[in-house]
């Protein structure tokens, strides 16, 4: 049995009501719910929320809201691992045949069903604890620098000042779309970014981590570009 859990709290600060804010004609959370449904993998698609309005919209979109998230897991300090541990423990109490739980972020409008499917396949290809979406940095972090106290810049990795770009290691980062996990991994809150996790690559032109109003505008512009492609 596989279950999708979409964590959508009501108190988002930088983008108020982010999970249900309209994105290209529908609540942004709808894109995640529809991708989960389209994957054909889930016995249940659930939303974990503390907010009645979000719960009502989730149900109208075809998801379930079987519990109300505790207030202590809905503040600015609650982590995804804590929220998913709570959801996975709830599911383990209900089902003896729970195989995997997939966290899907509510603000992931470019998520695709086939990549959720690829994550599920990868999770069970070996003894992985997680399979999650990643993408590559647009430029190598080994050529990055910071503003120094003097007002100039300082390389973070000065040893690579003269290294050819093609010789620098590829660096990946979280694509903030989905995280497949074994129930025990979620319940124990094992770290996701670790050697027991397998990455599922997403092209970086289809990745926007939406945390600020500027991110939201960039995602809208990206969506217009993607929709115009043949």
């Amino acid at each position: 049995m596989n279950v999708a859990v979409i964590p959508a709290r009501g108190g988002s600060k930088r983008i108020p009501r982010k999970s249900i804010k309209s994105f290209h004609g529908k609540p942004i959370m709808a894109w995640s719910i529809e991708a989960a449904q389209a994957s054909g993998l889930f016995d249940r698609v659930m939303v974990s929320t503390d907010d009645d309005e979000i719960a009502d919209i989730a149900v109208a979109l075809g998801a379930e809201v079987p519990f109300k998230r505790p207030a202590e897991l809905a503040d600015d300090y609650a982590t995804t691992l804590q929220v998913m541990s709570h959801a996975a423990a709830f599911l383990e109490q209900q089902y003896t045949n729970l195989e995997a739980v997939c966290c899907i972020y509510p603000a992931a409008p470019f998520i695709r069903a086939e990549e959720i499917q690829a994550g599920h396949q990868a999770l069970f290809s070996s003894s992985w604890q997680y399979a999650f979406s990643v993408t590559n940095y647009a430029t190598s972090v080994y050529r990055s620098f910071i503003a120094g106290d003097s007002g100039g810049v300082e390389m973070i990795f000065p040893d690579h000042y003269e290294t050819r770009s093609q010789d620098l290691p590829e660096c990946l980062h979280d694509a903030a779309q989905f995280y497949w996990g074994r129930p025990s991994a979620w319940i124990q809150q094992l770290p996701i970014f670790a050697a027991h996790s397998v990455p599922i690559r997403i092209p970086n032109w289809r990745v926007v981590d939406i945390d600020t109003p500027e991110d939201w505008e960039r995602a809208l512009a990206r969506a217009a570009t993607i929709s115009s492609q043949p």
Side-chain angles (χ1 to χ4, degrees):
M1 180 179 188
N2 301 312
V3 177
V5 176
I6 299 170
R9 72 186 182 98
S12 53
K13 299 294 192 299
R14 288 175 291 185
I15 306 176
R17 316 299 288 165
K18 178 173 72 171
S19 297
I20 53 176
K21 184 178 173 70
S22 180
F23 188 92
H24 277 259
K26 53 189 171 184
I28 195 168
M29 181 173 63
W31 300 93
S32 297
I33 292 173
E34 290 171 1
Q37 294 167 336
S39 74
L41 289 171
F42 299 110
D43 299 275
R44 299 179 69 179
V45 176
M46 295 170 32
V47 170
S48 169
T49 187
D50 61 314
D51 186 274
D52 290 339
E53 183 186 14
I54 292 175
D56 290 343
I57 291 174
V59 171
L61 291 170
E64 303 176 41
V65 186
F67 57 80
K68 193 167 187 177
R69 193 196 303 181
E72 64 269 20
L73 294 179
D75 62 19
D76 294 338
Y77 301 99
T79 67
T80 295
L81 279 175
Q82 290 172 330
V83 172
M84 290 302 299
S85 176
H86 173 264
F90 169 83
L91 290 166
E92 280 248 305
Q93 290 177 351
Q94 287 197 316
Y95 304 105
T96 58
N97 60 339
L98 185 65
E99 294 183 339
V101 181
C102 185
C103 171
I104 300 178
Y105 277 163
F110 307 129
I111 191 170
R112 293 188 176 178
E114 56 266 33
E115 288 156 352
I116 296 174
Q117 293 167 340
H120 179 261
Q121 182 176 5
L123 180 69
F124 291 102
S125 67
S126 187
S127 57
W128 302 110
Q129 296 301 304
Y130 297 105
F132 71 104
S133 58
V134 306
T135 195
N136 62 297
Y137 283 94
T139 188
S140 177
V141 300
Y142 288 97
R143 304 304 290 272
S144 58
F145 44 84
I146 59 174
D149 294 336
S150 66
V153 298
E154 301 173 12
M155 286 195 71
I156 299 175
F157 304 99
D159 292 347
H160 288 292
Y161 181 81
E162 296 183 349
T163 305
R164 300 185 310 164
S165 58
Q166 60 265 40
D167 294 331
L168 293 168
E170 181 186 34
C171 295
L172 304 174
H173 66 86
D174 180 14
Q177 291 189 0
F178 65 85
Y179 312 82
W180 278 99
R182 297 180 188 269
S184 59
W186 287 124
I187 292 171
Q188 297 172 45
Q189 298 185 43
L190 297 183
I192 297 174
F193 308 149
H196 52 234
S197 301
V198 59
I200 307 300
R201 292 173 180 255
I202 311 294
N204 58 26
W205 58 267
R206 204 159 35 77
V207 172
V208 179
D209 190 1
I210 304 177
D211 287 323
T212 67
E214 292 77 15
D215 295 335
W216 187 278
E217 293 303 318
R218 187 165 64 253
L220 286 172
R222 188 77 53 86
T225 300
I226 292 173
S227 65
S228 67
Q229 294 180 356

